[in-house]
Amino acid sequence: MLGNWARDKYQFFWKFSIPAPVIGGFGFAIIMLILRETNLMVFEFDDTLYDLFMYIFFVTIGLTTGLNLLKKGGKLLLLYVLVCWLLVIVQNSVGVGVALLTETSPLTGIMAGYASLQGGHGMAGSLSPVVESLGENNALTVGMAAATYGLIAGALIGGPVGNWLIKKNNLKIETDTMESNYMEELSQEIKDDKKDKLTSQHLFVSGAIIFIILAIGMPTAEWITNITGFSVPGHIFSLFLGIFFRSVNDKKQIVKMSDKSMDMISTISLNMFLVMAMMKLKIWELYDLAIPLTIILIIQTIVTVLIAMFIMFKLMGRNYDAAILASGFIGHGLGATPNGLVVMDAVCKKYGVFSKKAFLIIPVAGTVLTDVVGVPVFLFVANLFA
């Protein structure tokens, strides 16, 4: 609640799209740092509710998407997602590679890659327990520090790069529309969403589906881990179980699902587990990691900008929409999806032309489709360097 108040009151926070739980939780973490350094008090946290909200959030990600999203978005969405998947591999590789060169744990390096940059604070908070279970105690602190850096860096760099691409290539300030069939489907979905009312019954059904999936996914993931020796977190497995159920349910209509109630549960669970993650930050653990982490993040920034300029911009068509998408890609690639939207909004407002194509592609690709490959790749690399 304090984070929401600060975000509304101070322009800096909403300008860089910093989530309210991050503001409030980080403020608490600073107080904990002061109490520790002055030998007054040290807190220990119970993770029961933190874990529960994290598990619920991950299942809601799966249940709010289906495998038909790529087909709906057409060729450009597929190309954008492919570049995001490339960035997943690059960011994980840079994190691990620089960590090894600076004689830092590669598990620390991977937390300064995809999970915290493209994934943002939410993904960093939810994947850090995996890394900590593999032997890296400061994973959460590194992840949150990297995610905070990414938010600010992406917001500061994305706009100028988009503006530079437009000026350098003398682009016409005009925008294309997405394929007509996609626009019709989207329009129908918006109409259906307005009809979708939030009721206690909808919340009850959504909650039941979530807990049934967790009841199946958690023990199944544990069984897979025991059989293979490859660490498969239950909440990650449950996410993909949710995607599978949603894809089947869209075709078979097994149960009527309310996206509005699922979004409500998702938002509350994300805010709760994220503020708890920030409160648990042990900022003092960053003292010895300051230089290696700084090097990793600077290189991550350079690589992301280069991919946006020389790959994303060209693949998207080298036009105004492509420049907007490239700028949004930097915001998304360094600071998660909402940051990408903030960056694109700033560039579009400057030129007075709104790119519908960009604002349709990045939310769909960034919120779910990137993680479909990003999470398994992260788990593979983490297990590799455990």
Side-chain angles (χ1 to χ4, degrees):
M1 292 167 67
L2 286 171
N4 277 316
W5 171 81
R7 195 165 186 255
D8 292 338
K9 186 172 179 62
Y10 298 103
Q11 185 180 20
F12 171 84
F13 294 124
W14 62 259
K15 181 179 180 181
F16 291 106
S17 193
I18 299 177
V22 172
I23 302 167
F26 188 70
F28 185 89
I30 291 175
I31 294 173
M32 293 304 98
L33 173 65
I34 295 171
L35 292 175
R36 181 183 184 274
E37 294 298 312
T38 53
N39 293 318
L40 290 176
M41 190 182 299
V42 176
F43 276 80
E44 290 186 9
F45 292 90
D46 183 286
D47 286 340
T48 305
L49 289 177
Y50 170 79
D51 292 338
L52 176 63
F53 284 120
M54 180 175 68
Y55 296 162
I56 292 173
F57 170 67
F58 256 70
V59 176
T60 60
I61 293 177
L63 288 172
T64 50
T65 186
L67 296 177
N68 59 352
L69 277 177
L70 273 174
K71 182 177 69 175
K72 280 186 179 181
K75 180 182 175 182
L76 283 180
L77 175 60
L78 176 60
L79 289 174
Y80 185 90
V81 172
L82 287 174
V83 179
C84 289
W85 291 344
L86 169 66
L87 185 61
V88 166
I89 297 171
V90 171
Q91 286 180 335
N92 286 331
S93 301
V94 168
V96 171
V98 177
L100 291 172
L101 289 174
T102 55
E103 298 183 350
T104 306
S105 167
L107 291 177
T108 297
I110 195 177
M111 282 307 303
Y114 148 77
S116 304
L117 299 177
Q118 284 198 76
H121 290 87
M123 189 61 70
S126 55
L127 289 179
S128 59
V130 179
V131 176
E132 288 175 353
S133 69
L134 297 174
E136 191 57 46
N137 294 328
N138 56 17
L140 178 62
T141 306
V142 170
M144 292 301 172
T148 302
Y149 163 85
L151 270 176
I152 298 173
L156 289 175
I157 297 171
V161 170
N163 183 61
W164 180 80
L165 288 170
I166 292 170
K167 296 289 187 182
K168 180 179 183 296
N169 295 282
N170 294 317
L171 301 177
K172 291 184 178 180
I173 310 303
E174 59 185 17
T175 182
D176 295 331
T177 58
M178 298 287 284
E179 294 87 342
S180 59
N181 61 334
Y182 179 59
M183 292 300 293
E184 289 173 7
E185 288 180 11
L186 183 68
S187 177
Q188 185 60 44
E189 286 179 9
I190 293 173
K191 290 179 182 177
D192 293 341
D193 185 61
K194 288 181 179 179
K195 294 178 183 177
D196 185 11
K197 295 182 179 179
L198 189 65
T199 66
S200 58
Q201 177 66 13
H202 287 157
L203 287 169
F204 179 80
V205 171
S206 297
I209 294 171
I210 290 168
F211 284 119
I212 289 170
I213 288 176
L214 283 172
I216 297 171
M218 299 295 287
T220 303
E222 186 178 356
W223 176 78
I224 294 172
T225 300
N226 292 335
I227 294 295
T228 64
F230 185 90
S231 180
V232 180
H235 59 292
I236 305 294
F237 183 83
S238 297
L239 181 152
F240 289 98
L241 201 60
I243 293 176
F244 173 77
F245 177 81
R246 178 59 186 259
S247 299
V248 173
N249 193 63
D250 284 345
K251 291 183 178 181
K252 303 292 185 181
Q253 289 297 308
I254 301 169
V255 63
K256 186 176 181 181
M257 294 177 60
S258 166
D259 286 335
K260 189 166 288 186
S261 65
M262 199 66 72
D263 287 340
M264 176 70 72
I265 295 172
S266 180
T267 300
I268 292 173
S269 58
L270 171 62
N271 285 341
M272 291 299 290
F273 104 77
L274 187 51
V275 74
M276 291 179 189
M278 296 302 298
M279 288 169 68
K280 294 197 302 177
L281 281 185
K282 298 176 181 178
I283 300 175
W284 54 89
E285 291 181 350
L286 288 174
Y287 294 166
D288 296 332
L289 293 171
I291 294 177
L293 187 59
T294 301
I295 295 172
I296 292 172
L297 292 174
I298 289 173
I299 296 176
Q300 296 282 29
T301 303
I302 294 171
V303 169
T304 302
V305 171
L306 291 176
I307 290 176
M309 291 169 55
F310 297 106
I311 297 179
M312 182 62 75
F313 177 64
K314 293 181 179 179
L315 283 178
M316 292 295 105
R318 300 176 65 94
N319 53 20
Y320 176 74
D321 288 314
I324 300 298
L325 277 163
S327 67
F329 175 77
I330 293 172
H332 161 220
L334 291 174
T337 305
N339 206 38
L341 300 179
V342 170
V343 169
M344 293 192 301
D345 183 61
V347 180
C348 288
K349 282 181 177 177
K350 176 177 181 177
Y351 290 97
V353 177
F354 183 80
S355 174
K356 289 184 179 179
K357 184 182 293 185
F359 279 86
L360 287 171
I361 288 175
I362 286 187
V364 175
T367 51
V368 177
L369 295 177
T370 300
D371 299 332
V372 170
V373 168
V375 172
V377 169
F378 177 92
L379 291 177
F380 173 77
V381 177
N383 276 274
L384 190 65
F385 289 97

